[in-house]
């Protein structure tokens, strides 16, 4: 049985002391303990940003690539090796900005991955410029007169487009977030968790502002009721509902469809290629 220490990595942490990202890292480790996952059964995939550093701080398989491109990589990993628990760790800028197109089409394709978004409503790594979730009117270093376009409400977009697992967590409620992540990983198909993660260096609202507003969904919330889920996803001001907003019957996952149409089985389960076969393939591309 793994423990929290099982996932400790030797990488030096570069986050600001006190950043709520530490709470998310702890929640991820706790979720993997609960799920009884060994490091070699996990693959974390990320792009660029403060969130994208999380896989460095957790001992497991990882792929850290281009800005906004974690989702297609994770989808490919899941096709090649469905035995891996594949989790995309991304931020609001990375996922909703650069990677917005990938995210929307991943909802349609439905790969069996979990997408966890550290949402601090800015680009924190590059010093606080507006991201797709920065509130209307907020002044930022590049938006000196205030953001003049509406923020994206991605949980709402995901629910309306039939993502079958949509949740919102809060970085300072570690055990609550852990419980959401456990359920998200167990859910077959795309599971999506938006995590409120206030940036204590470049953010304009203190952590206490969020602490006063987040409200765990009660047992009276029916996560199978799409209309109720949408109503909760739309609330983002006086109260911010957290928990599993929407969860419904899984639908056909991308890897299953892809493999049945294109290949005989997962790449990871195929016999290793003979050296001569590999040489033959390479010779077609390398003169
Ligand atoms: S800049 Fe903000 S998000 Fe990045 S590590 Fe510091 S507090 Fe956290």
């Amino acid at each position: 049985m793994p423990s929290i220490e099982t996932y400790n990595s030797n990488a030096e942490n570069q986050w600001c002391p006190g950043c709520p990202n530490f709470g998310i890292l702890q929640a991820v480790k706790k979720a993997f303990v609960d799920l009884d996952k060994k490091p070699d059964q996990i693959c974390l995939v990320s792009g660029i940003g403060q969130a994208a550093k999380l896989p460095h701080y957790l001992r497991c398989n990882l792929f850290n690539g281009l800005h906004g491109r974690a989702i297609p990589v994770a989808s490919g990993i899941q096709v090649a090796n469905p035995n891996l628990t594949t989790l995309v760790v991304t931020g609001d800028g990375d996922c909703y900005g650069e990677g917005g197109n990938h995210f929307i089409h991943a909802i349609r394709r439905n790969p069996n991955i979990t997408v966890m978004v550290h949402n601090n409503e800015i680009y924190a790594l590059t010093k606080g410029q507006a991201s797709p979730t920065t509130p209307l009117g907020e002044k930022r270093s590049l938006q000196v007169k205030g953001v003049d376009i509406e923020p994206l409400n991605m949980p709402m977009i995901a629910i309306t487009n039939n993502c079958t697992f949509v949740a919102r967590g809060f970085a300072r409620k570690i055990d609550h977030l852990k419980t959401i992540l456990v359920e998200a990983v167990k859910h077959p198909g795309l599971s999506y968790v938006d995590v409120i993660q206030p940036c204590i260096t470049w953010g304009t609202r203190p952590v206490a502002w969020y602490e006063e507003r987040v409200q765990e969904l009660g047992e009276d919330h029916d996560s199978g009721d799409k209309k109720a889920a949408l109503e909760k996803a739309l609330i983002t001001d006086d109260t911010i509902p957290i928990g599993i907003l929407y969860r419904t019957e899984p639908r056909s996952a991308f890897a299953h469809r892809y493999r049945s149409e294109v290949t005989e089985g997962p790449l990871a389960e195929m016999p290793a290629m003979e050296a001569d076969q590999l040489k033959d393939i390479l010779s077609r591309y390398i003169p």
Side-chain angles (χ1 to χ4, degrees), residues 100-280:
N101 187 25
H102 294 303
F103 185 73
I104 286 168
H105 292 288
I107 292 172
R108 295 173 57 229
R109 287 196 186 99
N110 195 35
N112 187 19
I113 61 174
T114 297
V115 177
M116 180 179 73
V117 184
H118 299 211
N119 187 352
N120 53 22
E121 302 176 341
I122 49 167
Y123 284 90
L125 186 69
T126 49
K127 303 189 175 177
Q129 299 86 356
S131 80
T133 53
T134 307
L136 189 67
E138 192 168 299
K139 289 186 180 162
R140 309 294 330 172
S141 52
L142 287 181
Q143 293 76 20
V144 288
K145 292 185 180 168
V147 175
D148 61 357
I149 48 176
E150 291 284 340
L152 273 182
N153 183 328
M154 211 43 116
M156 188 192 81
I157 291 171
I159 294 167
T160 50
N161 283 280
N162 290 326
C163 180
T164 56
F165 187 105
V166 180
R168 187 188 286 129
F170 179 44
R172 282 289 166 95
K173 282 193 174 277
I174 296 172
D175 282 335
H176 182 259
L177 177 57
K178 182 256 319 189
T179 306
I180 291 174
L181 290 172
V182 167
E183 294 302 312
V185 169
K186 284 184 187 165
H187 184 78
L190 183 74
S191 51
Y192 159 47
V193 185
D194 182 85
V195 187
I196 300 162
Q197 179 252 311
C199 171
I200 58 173
T201 301
W202 304 106
T204 51
R205 299 188 190 104
V207 175
W209 188 94
Y210 294 92
E211 280 170 338
E212 283 160 15
R213 284 161 179 79
V214 292
Q215 207 169 76
E216 291 180 28
L217 290 168
E219 291 193 353
D220 57 331
H221 175 65
D222 178 3
S223 59
D225 180 342
K226 198 170 191 174
K227 191 161 167 271
L230 273 174
E231 278 168 12
K232 298 293 182 193
L234 280 168
I235 304 172
T236 49
D237 262 343
D238 293 337
T239 58
I240 310 174
I242 56 171
I244 299 173
L245 302 169
Y246 187 55
R247 172 161 53 178
T248 190
E249 285 298 306
R251 55 194 165 85
S252 164
F254 170 64
H256 176 74
R257 292 195 312 277
Y258 176 80
R259 276 197 295 274
S260 60
E261 288 164 19
V262 182
T263 67
E264 289 170 5
L267 193 62
E269 289 170 18
M270 287 184 183
M273 209 173 259
E274 296 293 333
D276 282 349
Q277 283 176 290
L278 192 58
K279 214 166 142 189
D280 181 45

Side-chain angles (χ1 to χ4, degrees), residues 5-176:
E5 290 70 37
T6 306
Y7 308 106
N8 287 349
S9 90
N10 295 327
E12 188 189 342
N13 197 299
Q14 302 288 325
W15 288 329
C16 304
C19 174
N21 275 333
F22 287 98
I24 301 178
L25 178 60
Q26 191 71 357
V28 172
K29 289 180 179 178
K30 283 185 163 210
F32 287 143
V33 169
D34 275 22
L35 288 159
D36 196 16
K37 295 284 175 195
K38 296 192 188 110
D40 65 355
Q41 294 174 311
I42 304 163
C43 187
L44 300 188
V45 188
S46 68
I48 299 293
Q50 298 288 19
K53 295 177 186 170
L54 186 143
H56 304 184
Y57 308 143
L58 196 136
R59 183 171 155 249
C60 64
N61 299 297
L62 71 95
F63 184 100
N64 190 189
L66 299 175
H67 208 351
R69 311 300 168 215
I71 287 177
V73 173
S75 304
I77 289 169
Q78 222 288 316
V79 170
N81 191 350
N83 297 319
L84 284 175
T85 294
T86 307
L87 195 106
V88 169
V89 187
T90 176
D92 47 298
D94 190 51
C95 186
Y96 303 155
E98 282 78 7
N101 187 25
H102 294 303
F103 185 73
I104 286 168
H105 292 288
I107 292 172
R108 295 173 57 229
R109 287 196 186 99
N110 195 35
N112 187 19
I113 61 174
T114 297
V115 177
M116 180 179 73
V117 184
H118 299 211
N119 187 352
N120 53 22
E121 302 176 341
I122 49 167
Y123 284 90
L125 186 69
T126 49
K127 303 189 175 177
Q129 299 86 356
S131 80
T133 53
T134 307
L136 189 67
E138 192 168 299
K139 289 186 180 162
R140 309 294 330 172
S141 52
L142 287 181
Q143 293 76 20
V144 288
K145 292 185 180 168
V147 175
D148 61 357
I149 48 176
E150 291 284 340
L152 273 182
N153 183 328
M154 211 43 116
M156 188 192 81
I157 291 171
I159 294 167
T160 50
N161 283 280
N162 290 326
C163 180
T164 56
F165 187 105
V166 180
R168 187 188 286 129
F170 179 44
R172 282 289 166 95
K173 282 193 174 277
I174 296 172
D175 282 335
H176 182 259

